Amino acid sequence: MRVSVVRKNIKFTPDSRRVVARYFMNGNERTQQMVLRIMMLNEKQVLQTLEQTLREFARRHRNISAVFFRHCERIRPIIEAMKIDYEGMSLDRKMLIGSYCTMEYAIESAAIFNPSIVEDFDQTGLEAGEKRVVISFRATGEGHISSIVFRRGILDRDNNLHIMKIGNHIDKAEIEHKTLFNKERFLTKLSEMHTTDKYITQIMQDLPDEFEFAILKNILNTALSDPIIREERKTALQEILWLANSFYDIQFKHDSDITERVIFPISDSESRGIEDARFVRFVDDDNSVRVMATYTAYNGHTILPKLISTEDFYSFRVMPLHGAGAQNKNLALFPRKIKGKYAMLARIDGVNNYIMYSDRATQWNTPILLQEPRYTWELTQIGNCGSPLWTEEGWLVITHGVGTMRRYCIGASLFDLDDPSKEIGRLTEPLLSPLEDEREGYVPNVVYSCGAIIHNDSLILPYAVSDYCSTYGVVNLAELLDALKKSK
């Protein structure tokens, strides 16, 4: 007998009105031609064109003129290479050039899916039985480029979700890259990425044990500027550069609402998207609290598992994951240490569930096989649907399984608290399968989640509908745990 799920009548759908001002580069030659044409305008024409642009776009973005100026700064080397006096140009002309290097991008135009949910840091001003939550989504726009967006809401005593109003603008964060690297760890990650050894040696051999990002970047850019560079060498050098670019901090302005903050692809390693962030409220041994998430960075041909961490949803630290276990997709961090070590679920072979332990949140080795596909609805693969949830009966892990016709269903398993490599129980039937009205979407026949929470003795399970939109369901926790314990 299946465990009952109450599907709630709320739906998060794509909204093409939610746009960011994105840097637009049309190639060096065409950019030079564009700059030459703008330089032929007199100051009156410059001001007139700029004012018209600002009238049409200023209300759609926060401080769009500053965005224009930043984007002009990005092509400053091109302008100066044209023997144009950059410093002598008027601010209006620089902003106008920047406007031609800017485009709007609708971050949610295609889909808003694969949600996760965590308890908000601020739980003040609530009534009994209420909880303030933050829900993250994978937002996808033109070209299937994915980013992370947020919604804030309150779960009431009846497990109804009340979503706060969405802000008017969308802000991308300020970025600060890591400046100093450990050579040994850097080389280890390059080896895990299978970057060609001979090109690594050529670049890295003369660097000290601790080297600066700027030095490595200059060496790589010089090598990449070689007009007769071989394609194999070019690919290897680009991989070294995008690994270095993958360590950074991001900072949002404090006058932005959480719904206005988008974690948009920043480094080269994630140029084609940030996929499936699994957020979890992590409580350390000293009772300090962080919200952390694993996600998959994708650049069009290579994936890189990464970890993101925040203590306030304004400042985020982003780092790649290392080790033999930091491979493939589907990593999910446990919400606390187990016997003094971090613990992580993974699916390193694309088929089975694994568990790993580590002294460091970014270093993962020695994966232990945890689960293999067993039932007909998961014979293609099994994986997690977010971080494990602590219950008195054991670690509750929401899983996904892929069956016939590549249909994704959601299941559940229970593991021992002290030794989560020991399975206590596992549902023989899906907890959640696509209903008839949930089958159509960007990817048909899929229900999927990246994280759930427990509230009012219930499992609150947000899930995506066919990779297009999202909703959530509620499961009685006692009924679910009872079914899991009887499943053995």
Side-chain angles (χ1 to χ4, degrees):
M1 183 175 177
R2 286 197 176 184
V3 176
S4 57
V5 179
V6 179
R7 284 168 159 90
K8 291 293 187 174
N9 187 28
I10 186 172
K11 188 173 285 188
F12 300 90
T13 55
D15 186 349
S16 58
R17 296 170 298 177
R18 289 172 59 78
V19 295
V20 294
R22 187 181 179 192
Y23 177 62
F24 171 62
M25 175 57 170
N26 209 11
N28 281 15
E29 184 177 344
R30 295 175 71 175
T31 299
Q32 288 173 357
Q33 294 171 354
M34 175 267 291
V35 170
L36 283 174
R37 296 185 188 107
I38 295 174
M39 294 305 296
M40 294 174 65
L41 301 176
N42 60 44
E43 286 298 328
K44 183 177 180 180
Q45 291 172 310
V46 167
L47 182 59
Q48 185 179 40
T49 309
L50 180 61
E51 287 182 342
Q52 180 183 4
T53 304
L54 291 173
R55 280 199 305 272
E56 294 182 11
F57 290 94
R59 68 182 182 276
R60 294 167 64 86
H61 303 275
R62 194 194 308 270
N63 200 0
I64 189 67
S65 58
V67 174
F68 291 163
F69 183 74
R70 285 201 304 271
H71 289 175
C72 183
E73 283 285 313
R74 290 186 66 167
I75 66 164
R76 180 171 181 166
I78 295 175
I79 296 172
E80 291 181 334
M82 298 167 64
K83 308 303 182 185
I84 295 173
D85 180 11
Y86 188 86
E87 293 296 335
M89 291 168 54
S90 68
L91 181 60
D92 288 343
R93 195 176 296 268
K94 290 177 182 177
M95 285 194 293
L96 182 61
I97 291 173
S99 72
Y100 282 90
C101 296
T102 304
M103 62 176 284
E104 285 192 330
Y105 184 83
I107 59 173
E108 300 175 8
S109 59
I112 180 168
F113 63 120
N114 291 3
S116 71
I117 184 171
V118 291
E119 179 180 326
D120 199 352
F121 290 106
D122 179 14
Q123 294 296 318
T124 60
L126 300 178
E127 297 182 4
E130 292 183 335
K131 180 173 288 187
R132 187 173 289 111
V133 294
V134 173
I135 309 171
S136 70
F137 299 89
R138 176 179 170 185
T140 302
E142 176 191 356
H144 199 71
I145 297 175
S146 301
S147 54
I148 302 171
V149 297
F150 302 99
R151 300 290 188 272
R152 178 175 271 132
I154 294 175
L155 284 164
D156 66 20
R157 65 184 66 193
D158 297 316
N159 295 323
N160 295 310
L161 181 60
H162 305 271
I163 298 296
M164 303 295 101
K165 184 179 177 181
I166 298 173
N168 294 324
H169 300 96
I170 299 179
D171 281 356
K172 292 195 295 182
E174 298 292 329
I175 310 153
E176 182 178 335
H177 281 93
K178 182 176 178 178
T179 57
L180 195 65
F181 289 92
N182 177 281
K183 184 175 178 178
E184 182 180 356
R185 289 201 291 267
F186 195 85
L187 288 171
T188 299
K189 187 60 189 178
L190 286 172
S191 176
E192 292 164 6
M193 290 161 49
H194 306 294
T195 304
T196 308
D197 287 342
K198 63 179 178 180
Y199 299 122
I200 296 174
T201 302
Q202 290 172 7
I203 293 296
M204 303 292 294
Q205 61 185 352
D206 294 328
L207 290 173
D209 292 340
E210 298 283 338
F211 63 89
E212 294 184 2
F213 170 74
I215 295 174
L216 175 64
K217 187 175 182 180
N218 287 338
I219 294 172
L220 290 168
N221 285 337
T222 300
L224 286 166
S225 66
D226 183 351
I228 59 171
I229 187 172
R230 293 177 58 190
E231 194 61 34
E232 183 186 34
R233 184 169 188 249
K234 181 179 178 181
T235 299
L237 299 186
Q238 286 174 336
E239 288 180 356
I240 297 171
L241 183 58
W242 69 250
L243 175 60
N245 272 318
S246 295
F247 298 80
Y248 57 86
D249 292 341
I250 57 177
Q251 175 69 53
F252 291 96
K253 293 182 175 62
H254 278 76
D255 62 352
S256 66
D257 183 71
I258 193 168
T259 63
E260 298 177 319
R261 301 171 212 153
V262 55
I263 301 178
F264 199 75
I266 292 169
S267 68
D268 292 338
S269 65
E270 56 201 27
S271 59
R272 300 303 300 170
I274 295 173
E275 300 182 0
D276 302 345
R278 286 161 158 76
F279 281 89
V280 61
R281 184 176 184 268
F282 184 85
V283 182
D284 214 331
D285 290 342
D286 61 0
N287 291 321
S288 62
V289 177
R290 290 173 286 168
V291 168
M292 304 171 77
T294 55
Y295 72 83
T296 304
Y298 180 57
N299 71 349
H301 59 86
T302 305
I303 64 171
L304 179 66
K306 300 181 81 171
L307 182 72
I308 187 168
S309 174
T310 183
E311 296 179 6
D312 55 12
F313 287 106
Y314 287 104
S315 302
F316 295 82
R317 173 151 291 181
V318 181
M319 299 163 287
L321 296 176
H322 305 268
Q327 308 292 324
N328 217 298
K329 302 181 178 182
N330 216 231
L331 290 101
L333 188 68
F334 277 67
R336 62 179 68 176
K337 291 178 181 177
I338 298 174
K339 297 180 180 177
K341 292 184 178 291
Y342 294 96
M344 180 84 80
L345 295 177
R347 196 188 63 216
I348 62 169
D349 56 11
V351 177
N352 305 300
N353 260 335
Y354 290 79
I355 189 169
M356 302 176 286
Y357 302 95
S358 178
D359 293 320
R360 296 173 55 213
T362 55
Q363 185 74 38
W364 297 96
N365 289 295
T366 321
I368 302 166
L369 181 63
L370 188 65
Q371 290 179 308
E372 297 174 291
R374 181 186 301 166
Y375 304 113
T376 56
W377 52 276
E378 60 185 18
L379 291 184
T380 299
Q381 70 184 51
I382 185 173
N384 70 74
C385 270
S387 294
L389 301 165
W390 185 94
T391 76
E392 291 183 352
E393 302 293 339
W395 289 108
L396 175 61
V397 175
I398 307 303
T399 62
H400 71 264
V402 182
T404 59
M405 296 297 293
R406 199 174 174 261
R407 185 180 74 152
Y408 277 70
C409 296
I410 293 176
S413 299
L414 192 65
F415 297 89
D416 185 83
L417 286 176
D418 294 323
D419 183 2
S421 65
K422 296 179 180 178
E423 184 181 274
I424 297 172
R426 177 172 169 182
L427 294 185
T428 59
E429 295 184 79
L431 179 64
L432 202 70
S433 302
L435 296 179
E436 190 62 31
D437 63 354
E438 294 176 330
R439 295 181 60 187
E440 315 301 337
Y442 188 72
V443 180
N445 307 308
V446 173
V447 288
Y448 195 85
S449 178
C450 284
I453 62 170
I454 294 171
H455 176 60
N456 290 334
D457 299 319
S458 301
L459 173 71
I460 310 299
L461 178 61
Y463 66 94
V465 176
S466 293
D467 282 13
Y468 171 71
C469 62
S470 298
T471 183
Y472 81 104
V474 178
V475 182
N476 181 279
L477 185 61
E479 180 187 353
L480 175 58
L481 293 176
D482 185 59
L484 284 166
K485 288 185 289 184
K486 290 179 178 177
S487 66
K488 276 292 189 182

Short mmCIF file of all heavy atoms in Angstrom, two decimals, residues 93-141:
data_model
loop_
_atom_site.label_atom_id
_atom_site.label_comp_id
_atom_site.label_asym_id
_atom_site.label_seq_id
_atom_site.Cartn_x
_atom_site.Cartn_y
_atom_site.Cartn_z
N ARG A 93 29.27 59.02 -23.23
CA ARG A 93 29.69 58.18 -24.36
C ARG A 93 30.09 56.78 -23.88
O ARG A 93 29.80 55.79 -24.54
CB ARG A 93 30.84 58.86 -25.11
CG ARG A 93 31.10 58.25 -26.50
CD ARG A 93 32.19 59.02 -27.25
NE ARG A 93 31.80 60.39 -27.53
CZ ARG A 93 31.18 60.79 -28.65
NH1 ARG A 93 30.90 59.90 -29.58
NH2 ARG A 93 30.89 62.06 -28.83
N LYS A 94 30.76 56.72 -22.73
CA LYS A 94 31.12 55.41 -22.18
C LYS A 94 29.87 54.61 -21.85
O LYS A 94 29.79 53.40 -22.13
CB LYS A 94 31.99 55.58 -20.93
CG LYS A 94 33.39 56.10 -21.22
CD LYS A 94 34.15 56.32 -19.91
CE LYS A 94 35.55 56.89 -20.18
NZ LYS A 94 36.28 57.19 -18.93
N MET A 95 28.88 55.27 -21.25
CA MET A 95 27.65 54.55 -20.90
C MET A 95 26.91 54.11 -22.16
O MET A 95 26.32 53.02 -22.20
CB MET A 95 26.75 55.42 -20.03
CG MET A 95 27.23 55.54 -18.59
SD MET A 95 25.97 56.23 -17.48
CE MET A 95 25.85 57.92 -18.11
N LEU A 96 26.93 54.93 -23.20
CA LEU A 96 26.27 54.54 -24.43
C LEU A 96 26.96 53.33 -25.06
O LEU A 96 26.29 52.39 -25.50
CB LEU A 96 26.26 55.71 -25.42
CG LEU A 96 25.53 55.44 -26.74
CD1 LEU A 96 24.06 55.11 -26.49
CD2 LEU A 96 25.66 56.62 -27.70
N ILE A 97 28.30 53.34 -25.09
CA ILE A 97 29.02 52.17 -25.59
C ILE A 97 28.65 50.94 -24.76
O ILE A 97 28.38 49.86 -25.29
CB ILE A 97 30.54 52.42 -25.55
CG1 ILE A 97 30.94 53.47 -26.59
CG2 ILE A 97 31.31 51.12 -25.80
CD1 ILE A 97 32.39 53.90 -26.51
N GLY A 98 28.59 51.12 -23.43
CA GLY A 98 28.23 50.01 -22.55
C GLY A 98 26.83 49.49 -22.82
O GLY A 98 26.56 48.28 -22.69
N SER A 99 25.90 50.38 -23.22
CA SER A 99 24.53 49.94 -23.50
C SER A 99 24.49 49.02 -24.72
O SER A 99 23.64 48.12 -24.81
CB SER A 99 23.62 51.14 -23.71
OG SER A 99 23.87 51.79 -24.94
N TYR A 100 25.40 49.24 -25.67
CA TYR A 100 25.49 48.35 -26.83
C TYR A 100 26.16 47.02 -26.48
O TYR A 100 26.10 46.08 -27.27
CB TYR A 100 26.27 49.04 -27.96
CG TYR A 100 25.45 50.07 -28.71
CD1 TYR A 100 25.43 51.40 -28.31
CD2 TYR A 100 24.69 49.71 -29.82
CE1 TYR A 100 24.68 52.35 -28.99
CE2 TYR A 100 23.93 50.65 -30.51
CZ TYR A 100 23.93 51.97 -30.09
OH TYR A 100 23.18 52.91 -30.76
N CYS A 101 26.78 46.97 -25.31
CA CYS A 101 27.39 45.73 -24.81
C CYS A 101 26.53 45.09 -23.73
O CYS A 101 27.02 44.35 -22.87
CB CYS A 101 28.79 46.01 -24.26
SG CYS A 101 29.95 46.60 -25.49
N THR A 102 25.25 45.40 -23.74
CA THR A 102 24.32 44.90 -22.73
C THR A 102 23.09 44.30 -23.41
O THR A 102 22.65 44.79 -24.45
CB THR A 102 23.87 46.04 -21.80
OG1 THR A 102 25.02 46.66 -21.22
CG2 THR A 102 22.97 45.52 -20.68
N MET A 103 22.59 43.24 -22.84
CA MET A 103 21.36 42.62 -23.33
C MET A 103 20.52 42.17 -22.14
O MET A 103 21.05 41.89 -21.06
CB MET A 103 21.66 41.42 -24.23
CG MET A 103 22.41 40.29 -23.52
SD MET A 103 22.68 38.82 -24.54
CE MET A 103 21.03 38.10 -24.52
N GLU A 104 19.23 42.14 -22.31
CA GLU A 104 18.37 41.56 -21.29
C GLU A 104 18.29 40.06 -21.48
O GLU A 104 18.25 39.56 -22.62
CB GLU A 104 16.97 42.16 -21.36
CG GLU A 104 16.88 43.57 -20.83
CD GLU A 104 15.47 44.04 -20.65
OE1 GLU A 104 14.57 43.60 -21.39
OE2 GLU A 104 15.24 44.87 -19.75
N TYR A 105 18.28 39.34 -20.36
CA TYR A 105 18.16 37.89 -20.38
C TYR A 105 17.04 37.49 -19.43
O TYR A 105 17.08 37.84 -18.24
CB TYR A 105 19.48 37.23 -19.97
CG TYR A 105 19.45 35.72 -20.06
CD1 TYR A 105 19.68 35.07 -21.27
CD2 TYR A 105 19.14 34.94 -18.96
CE1 TYR A 105 19.63 33.69 -21.38
CE2 TYR A 105 19.09 33.56 -19.04
CZ TYR A 105 19.34 32.94 -20.25
OH TYR A 105 19.27 31.57 -20.34
N ALA A 106 16.05 36.79 -19.95
CA ALA A 106 14.91 36.34 -19.13
C ALA A 106 15.29 35.04 -18.44
O ALA A 106 15.29 33.97 -19.06
CB ALA A 106 13.68 36.17 -20.01
N ILE A 107 15.63 35.12 -17.16
CA ILE A 107 16.22 33.98 -16.47
C ILE A 107 15.25 32.82 -16.27
O ILE A 107 15.68 31.67 -16.13
CB ILE A 107 16.81 34.41 -15.11
CG1 ILE A 107 15.72 35.02 -14.23
CG2 ILE A 107 17.97 35.36 -15.29
CD1 ILE A 107 16.18 35.30 -12.83
N GLU A 108 13.93 33.09 -16.24
CA GLU A 108 12.95 32.04 -15.98
C GLU A 108 12.05 31.76 -17.18
O GLU A 108 11.01 31.14 -17.04
CB GLU A 108 12.06 32.44 -14.79
CG GLU A 108 12.76 32.66 -13.48
CD GLU A 108 11.80 33.17 -12.40
OE1 GLU A 108 10.59 33.20 -12.66
OE2 GLU A 108 12.28 33.53 -11.31
N SER A 109 12.43 32.22 -18.36
CA SER A 109 11.50 32.16 -19.48
C SER A 109 11.14 30.73 -19.89
O SER A 109 10.05 30.49 -20.40
CB SER A 109 12.07 32.91 -20.68
OG SER A 109 13.32 32.37 -21.07
N ALA A 110 12.04 29.78 -19.69
CA ALA A 110 11.79 28.41 -20.12
C ALA A 110 11.25 27.53 -18.99
O ALA A 110 10.35 26.71 -19.21
CB ALA A 110 13.06 27.79 -20.69
N ALA A 111 11.81 27.68 -17.78
CA ALA A 111 11.42 26.77 -16.69
C ALA A 111 11.86 27.31 -15.34
O ALA A 111 12.82 28.08 -15.25
CB ALA A 111 12.03 25.39 -16.92
N ILE A 112 11.15 26.90 -14.31
CA ILE A 112 11.56 27.12 -12.92
C ILE A 112 11.26 25.81 -12.18
O ILE A 112 10.12 25.49 -11.92
CB ILE A 112 10.88 28.36 -12.30
CG1 ILE A 112 11.34 28.56 -10.86
CG2 ILE A 112 9.37 28.30 -12.42
CD1 ILE A 112 10.94 29.91 -10.28
N PHE A 113 12.31 25.06 -11.87
CA PHE A 113 12.10 23.68 -11.47
C PHE A 113 13.18 23.22 -10.50
O PHE A 113 14.02 24.01 -10.06
CB PHE A 113 12.01 22.77 -12.70
CG PHE A 113 13.25 22.69 -13.56
CD1 PHE A 113 13.89 21.48 -13.76
CD2 PHE A 113 13.77 23.81 -14.20
CE1 PHE A 113 15.02 21.38 -14.57
CE2 PHE A 113 14.89 23.72 -15.02
CZ PHE A 113 15.52 22.50 -15.20
N ASN A 114 13.15 21.92 -10.15
CA ASN A 114 14.10 21.27 -9.24
C ASN A 114 14.32 22.09 -7.97
O ASN A 114 15.44 22.53 -7.66
CB ASN A 114 15.41 20.99 -9.96
CG ASN A 114 15.24 19.91 -11.02
OD1 ASN A 114 14.13 19.43 -11.24
ND2 ASN A 114 16.32 19.52 -11.68
N PRO A 115 13.25 22.28 -7.17
CA PRO A 115 13.33 23.13 -5.97
C PRO A 115 13.96 22.40 -4.79
O PRO A 115 13.97 21.17 -4.71
CB PRO A 115 11.85 23.42 -5.68
CG PRO A 115 11.14 22.19 -6.17
CD PRO A 115 11.90 21.75 -7.40
N SER A 116 14.52 23.20 -3.88
CA SER A 116 14.88 22.71 -2.55
C SER A 116 14.36 23.73 -1.55
O SER A 116 14.08 24.88 -1.90
CB SER A 116 16.39 22.51 -2.40
OG SER A 116 17.07 23.74 -2.36
N ILE A 117 14.23 23.33 -0.30
CA ILE A 117 13.65 24.19 0.73
C ILE A 117 14.46 24.07 2.01
O ILE A 117 14.89 22.98 2.38
CB ILE A 117 12.16 23.82 0.96
CG1 ILE A 117 11.49 24.78 1.96
CG2 ILE A 117 12.02 22.38 1.42
CD1 ILE A 117 9.98 24.58 2.05
N VAL A 118 14.73 25.21 2.66
CA VAL A 118 15.43 25.22 3.94
C VAL A 118 14.73 26.20 4.88
O VAL A 118 14.04 27.12 4.44
CB VAL A 118 16.92 25.64 3.79
CG1 VAL A 118 17.72 24.58 3.07
CG2 VAL A 118 17.05 26.98 3.11
N GLU A 119 14.95 25.99 6.16
CA GLU A 119 14.46 26.92 7.18
C GLU A 119 15.23 28.23 7.07
O GLU A 119 16.46 28.23 6.94
CB GLU A 119 14.67 26.30 8.56
CG GLU A 119 14.22 27.16 9.72
CD GLU A 119 14.47 26.48 11.06
OE1 GLU A 119 14.35 25.24 11.10
OE2 GLU A 119 14.79 27.18 12.03
N ASP A 120 14.54 29.35 7.09
CA ASP A 120 15.17 30.65 7.01
C ASP A 120 15.96 30.92 8.30
O ASP A 120 15.65 30.37 9.37
CB ASP A 120 14.10 31.73 6.81
CG ASP A 120 14.66 33.03 6.26
OD1 ASP A 120 15.90 33.15 6.17
OD2 ASP A 120 13.87 33.92 5.93
N PHE A 121 16.97 31.78 8.21
CA PHE A 121 17.72 32.16 9.41
C PHE A 121 16.84 32.93 10.40
O PHE A 121 16.99 32.81 11.61
CB PHE A 121 18.92 33.03 9.03
CG PHE A 121 20.01 32.29 8.31
CD1 PHE A 121 20.21 32.44 6.94
CD2 PHE A 121 20.85 31.41 9.00
CE1 PHE A 121 21.22 31.76 6.28
CE2 PHE A 121 21.85 30.72 8.34
CZ PHE A 121 22.04 30.90 6.98
N ASP A 122 15.92 33.72 9.90
CA ASP A 122 15.05 34.57 10.73
C ASP A 122 13.72 33.87 10.98
O ASP A 122 12.94 33.65 10.05
CB ASP A 122 14.82 35.91 10.02
CG ASP A 122 13.91 36.85 10.81
OD1 ASP A 122 13.67 36.58 12.01
OD2 ASP A 122 13.43 37.84 10.23
N GLN A 123 13.46 33.52 12.24
CA GLN A 123 12.20 32.88 12.61
C GLN A 123 11.42 33.74 13.61
O GLN A 123 10.57 33.23 14.35
CB GLN A 123 12.48 31.49 13.20
CG GLN A 123 13.06 30.51 12.21
CD GLN A 123 12.10 30.18 11.07
OE1 GLN A 123 10.90 30.01 11.29
NE2 GLN A 123 12.63 30.11 9.85
N THR A 124 11.66 35.05 13.60
CA THR A 124 10.97 35.95 14.53
C THR A 124 9.59 36.32 13.99
O THR A 124 9.33 36.27 12.80
CB THR A 124 11.79 37.23 14.76
OG1 THR A 124 11.97 37.91 13.49
CG2 THR A 124 13.15 36.92 15.34
N GLY A 125 8.71 36.72 14.92
CA GLY A 125 7.40 37.25 14.55
C GLY A 125 6.43 36.23 14.01
O GLY A 125 5.48 36.60 13.30
N LEU A 126 6.62 34.95 14.33
CA LEU A 126 5.74 33.91 13.83
C LEU A 126 4.83 33.37 14.92
O LEU A 126 5.16 33.43 16.11
CB LEU A 126 6.57 32.75 13.24
CG LEU A 126 7.49 33.10 12.07
CD1 LEU A 126 8.28 31.87 11.65
CD2 LEU A 126 6.70 33.65 10.90
N GLU A 127 3.71 32.84 14.51
CA GLU A 127 2.79 32.20 15.45
C GLU A 127 3.17 30.73 15.62
O GLU A 127 3.95 30.17 14.85
CB GLU A 127 1.36 32.33 14.95
CG GLU A 127 0.86 33.78 14.86
CD GLU A 127 -0.57 33.88 14.41
OE1 GLU A 127 -1.21 32.81 14.22
OE2 GLU A 127 -1.08 35.01 14.23
N ALA A 128 2.59 30.10 16.64
CA ALA A 128 2.87 28.69 16.90
C ALA A 128 2.51 27.85 15.68
O ALA A 128 1.46 28.04 15.04
CB ALA A 128 2.07 28.22 18.11
N GLY A 129 3.41 26.93 15.32
CA GLY A 129 3.17 26.06 14.18
C GLY A 129 3.58 26.65 12.85
O GLY A 129 3.41 25.99 11.81
N GLU A 130 4.15 27.86 12.84
CA GLU A 130 4.59 28.48 11.59
C GLU A 130 6.10 28.38 11.44
O GLU A 130 6.83 28.33 12.44
CB GLU A 130 4.17 29.94 11.54
CG GLU A 130 2.66 30.16 11.43
CD GLU A 130 2.31 31.63 11.29
OE1 GLU A 130 3.10 32.49 11.73
OE2 GLU A 130 1.21 31.92 10.76
N LYS A 131 6.56 28.38 10.22
CA LYS A 131 8.00 28.37 9.94
C LYS A 131 8.26 29.18 8.68
O LYS A 131 7.60 29.00 7.66
CB LYS A 131 8.52 26.94 9.76
CG LYS A 131 10.01 26.86 9.46
CD LYS A 131 10.50 25.41 9.47
CE LYS A 131 10.53 24.85 10.88
NZ LYS A 131 11.15 23.50 10.94
N ARG A 132 9.24 30.09 8.79
CA ARG A 132 9.65 30.86 7.62
C ARG A 132 10.69 30.06 6.84
O ARG A 132 11.64 29.54 7.43
CB ARG A 132 10.21 32.22 8.05
CG ARG A 132 10.50 33.18 6.89
CD ARG A 132 10.90 34.56 7.39
NE ARG A 132 9.76 35.27 7.96
CZ ARG A 132 9.62 35.56 9.25
NH1 ARG A 132 10.56 35.19 10.12
NH2 ARG A 132 8.57 36.21 9.69
N VAL A 133 10.49 29.96 5.53
CA VAL A 133 11.34 29.11 4.70
C VAL A 133 11.85 29.88 3.49
O VAL A 133 11.26 30.88 3.07
CB VAL A 133 10.59 27.84 4.23
CG1 VAL A 133 10.26 26.94 5.40
CG2 VAL A 133 9.34 28.21 3.43
N VAL A 134 12.95 29.38 2.95
CA VAL A 134 13.50 29.88 1.69
C VAL A 134 13.51 28.71 0.71
O VAL A 134 14.02 27.63 1.03
CB VAL A 134 14.93 30.43 1.87
CG1 VAL A 134 15.54 30.78 0.51
CG2 VAL A 134 14.91 31.66 2.78
N ILE A 135 12.94 28.94 -0.45
CA ILE A 135 12.88 27.91 -1.49
C ILE A 135 13.79 28.34 -2.63
O ILE A 135 13.73 29.49 -3.09
CB ILE A 135 11.45 27.71 -2.01
CG1 ILE A 135 10.49 27.49 -0.84
CG2 ILE A 135 11.38 26.51 -2.96
CD1 ILE A 135 9.03 27.50 -1.24
N SER A 136 14.64 27.45 -3.06
CA SER A 136 15.51 27.73 -4.21
C SER A 136 14.98 26.96 -5.42
O SER A 136 14.34 25.91 -5.28
CB SER A 136 16.95 27.32 -3.92
OG SER A 136 17.05 25.91 -3.85
N PHE A 137 15.25 27.51 -6.59
CA PHE A 137 14.84 26.86 -7.84
C PHE A 137 15.97 26.93 -8.85
O PHE A 137 16.80 27.83 -8.82
CB PHE A 137 13.62 27.57 -8.46
CG PHE A 137 12.40 27.58 -7.61
CD1 PHE A 137 12.18 28.61 -6.70
CD2 PHE A 137 11.44 26.59 -7.72
CE1 PHE A 137 11.05 28.63 -5.92
CE2 PHE A 137 10.30 26.60 -6.94
CZ PHE A 137 10.10 27.63 -6.03
N ARG A 138 15.95 26.00 -9.76
CA ARG A 138 16.77 26.09 -10.97
C ARG A 138 15.95 26.82 -12.03
O ARG A 138 14.95 26.30 -12.51
CB ARG A 138 17.18 24.70 -11.46
CG ARG A 138 17.96 24.71 -12.77
CD ARG A 138 18.32 23.28 -13.15
NE ARG A 138 18.87 23.19 -14.50
CZ ARG A 138 19.19 22.05 -15.11
NH1 ARG A 138 19.00 20.90 -14.47
NH2 ARG A 138 19.67 22.06 -16.33
N ALA A 139 16.34 28.05 -12.33
CA ALA A 139 15.65 28.84 -13.33
C ALA A 139 16.38 28.70 -14.65
O ALA A 139 17.61 28.78 -14.70
CB ALA A 139 15.61 30.31 -12.91
N THR A 140 15.63 28.50 -15.73
CA THR A 140 16.25 28.27 -17.04
C THR A 140 15.64 29.20 -18.07
O THR A 140 14.43 29.37 -18.15
CB THR A 140 16.05 26.80 -17.48
OG1 THR A 140 16.62 25.95 -16.49
CG2 THR A 140 16.72 26.54 -18.81
N GLY A 141 16.54 29.82 -18.86
CA GLY A 141 16.11 30.74 -19.90
C GLY A 141 16.62 30.33 -21.26
O GLY A 141 16.90 29.15 -21.51
#
